[in-house]
Structures are given as structure tokens and as C-alpha cells.
Amino acid sequence: FAERLVAPFSHYVNDAFGTAHRAHASVVAAAARYPRGRRAAGRLMASEVAALARLVDAPEQPFVAVVGGAKISTKTAPLQALLGRVSTLLIGGGMANTFLLARGLEVGRSLVEPDMVDTAREVLATAAARGVEVVLPVDVVVTDTIEDPHRVEVVPSERIPAELSVVDIGPRARARCAAALGAARTVFWNGPMGVFEIEAFASGTLAVAAALAASPGFTVVGGGESVMAVRQAGLIDRIGHVSTGGGASLAFLAGEELPALAALAG
């Protein structure tokens, strides 16, 4: 397949950072069929690497990471890597429920990963050992059903009703995020704070987008939903770097070798 791809062309340029973490034929095998001098990274790929390298190579402190989304299981390695660089880690979205569970709190009918509770405890223990502040939502928005809600409330995280589900971070949690981001010199954000695709539960995610835009530090947003949030809020032009790769940016921050970059350098 790679042979057929490259046959008509004398040079190879990879500008698809969003697939840089995948060892696909067009990413690796095609590049390998060109000698040095005839394969290169495109300008977008180069700008992605330059921006993300600022988060890896001695980032300016305080460095605050905001990590959300549904699951810890897809972000374990990046979380552990970030703990070696950040001063504060803000956690939201469905994955925050698993962390709340790890701290002994009940989360009602919320999305959780029971098999990741021990991993969450490990992250919290590593953070404590390294002096990293982990900020979980102090209050949350809960509902009876996402699709057709009849009951929507803001409750403290330690008093989530057994019959309700967490769908967003609450006002106090949003204010805590804004305060941390306002003092940051470097910021990375990946993952929404709640069920962002439903307008009634998008306030937390949009609040983080606004706080990121107002931050005086170097800000990076990675991941489709996070990028969608800053675009929806009309703030995308106020972000330092908007990454085109969610999984690729997380892999880069975790220190993993990206097959596309390895193929270009090989």
C-alpha cells in the first residue's frame, strides 16, 4: 500500500500532526521510502512540536494543567508525565468522578471507572509526593437524566445524591479553576469539564475556556472537544496554541515516541 502511495511522488511531507501517534502506512511506511532530504515535516507539524516542546522542556512556572473528559484509562500516562512538570492539576469531566470515588466520596449514578480507582489513588499519591496540588471539583451540577432532565441541581461534591448523576463542575469549582489559570504562566487543557455537548451542562467547560483566554501565560489547548469549546466561546484567537491533535498531544507530553516524527528523523 505504501509503495502505491509514494510511486507518483519525488518528495514526502507529513503535516498531519493529529495522526502522528499512529503507525499507519501513510505515516511510517511511506516516509521510510524516501531518503533524507526528500522527506520533511510540514509547517503545521513543526509548529505543533515547537509549541508542545515548551510544555516539556522547562515550562515556565506556575504550570497548570486542566484535564477532563470521560475516562482516566485513556490518560493515565499523560497524567503521570504532567505530575513531573506542573504545579497544579485541575481535574474535571467524568474522570473526576473516579477521583472523587478514590477519595472516599459517593458519586451517585455518575459515570465512573471502578477498575481505575486504584490508578486514581496512585496519581493522587504521586502528586502529594511531588508537591503538586490536585484540584477536584468542590461542587458539581447533577441531574436525573441527561437526555430529558427534570431535576438539575448544584451540590457540594461530598453530598451527591444517590439517584443523580454529575454532568458538570459547579460555580465554586469554576471560580477555583479561573483563579489557578489567572496565576499561571503555562497552561495545558485537554478534555471538557462535563457533558459539554448539551447546552445546559456546558457552563463549566465554557468557563474554563474563558479563564484560559484571560490567562496571561502561554496557553495550549489540545483535543477536539476542548478546541470546540474555545471556538464556540469565540475565544480561539486568544489561545497561545490550538493543537490539531488530542491523542498526539497527550502522547507527546507523556514522552512517548511519535511514529510520524521517528519516521521523518530515521
Side-chain angles (χ1 to χ4, degrees):
F1 177 50
E3 290 288 358
R4 294 200 303 272
L5 285 176
V6 307
F9 306 106
S10 61
H11 293 71
Y12 174 90
V13 178
N14 188 341
D15 215 17
F17 180 75
T19 62
H21 60 311
R22 298 174 182 151
H24 290 170
S26 60
V27 172
V28 174
R33 280 155 175 77
Y34 291 87
R36 283 180 176 271
R38 292 201 174 192
R39 63 176 185 261
R43 292 180 178 176
L44 183 143
M45 182 78 81
S47 69
E48 290 274 15
V49 171
L52 293 171
R54 290 181 62 177
L55 307 184
V56 176
D57 304 329
E60 188 176 356
Q61 297 291 343
F63 179 7
V64 178
V66 187
V67 183
K71 298 179 178 181
I72 300 174
S73 55
T74 59
K75 297 178 180 177
T76 303
L79 280 172
Q80 291 288 0
L82 284 167
L83 291 177
R85 302 185 183 103
V86 302
S87 55
T88 304
L89 177 62
L90 306 174
I91 297 178
M95 64 187 296
N97 301 329
T98 303
F99 278 94
L100 293 173
L101 206 61
R103 284 190 168 173
L105 301 180
E106 296 298 326
V107 294
R109 295 171 53 244
S110 306
L111 172 68
V112 293
E113 292 181 283
D115 59 335
M116 297 301 293
V117 171
D118 286 343
T119 299
R121 291 194 181 108
E122 290 172 12
V123 171
L124 293 171
T126 301
R130 294 182 178 179
V132 175
E133 181 185 16
V134 176
V135 179
L136 296 176
V138 292
D139 60 344
V140 292
V141 178
V142 293
T143 187
D144 53 347
T145 174
I146 294 173
E147 294 77 14
D148 185 25
H150 297 284
R151 183 179 171 191
V152 178
E153 301 174 11
V154 175
V155 298
S157 296
E158 63 271 17
R159 293 205 296 273
I160 297 171
E163 70 278 13
L164 301 182
S165 302
V166 175
V167 288
D168 196 7
I169 60 173
R172 287 194 295 141
R174 296 168 206 163
R176 177 66 185 85
C177 287
L181 295 173
R185 298 304 306 169
T186 307
V187 179
F188 174 69
W189 179 26
N190 178 283
M193 297 293 100
V195 188
F196 153 73
E197 56 271 25
I198 295 177
E199 184 178 356
F201 309 133
S203 297
T205 300
L206 295 177
V208 168
L212 214 73
S215 174
F218 174 61
T219 54
V220 176
V221 176
E225 290 173 311
S226 304
V227 173
M228 192 185 305
V230 293
R231 180 174 284 114
Q232 181 175 316
L235 300 169
I236 202 160
D237 292 336
R238 294 173 58 186
I239 304 299
H241 179 74
V242 179
S243 180
T244 58
S249 63
L250 287 174
F252 189 99
L253 291 178
E256 298 174 13
E257 181 179 80
L258 271 59
L261 300 183
L264 291 172

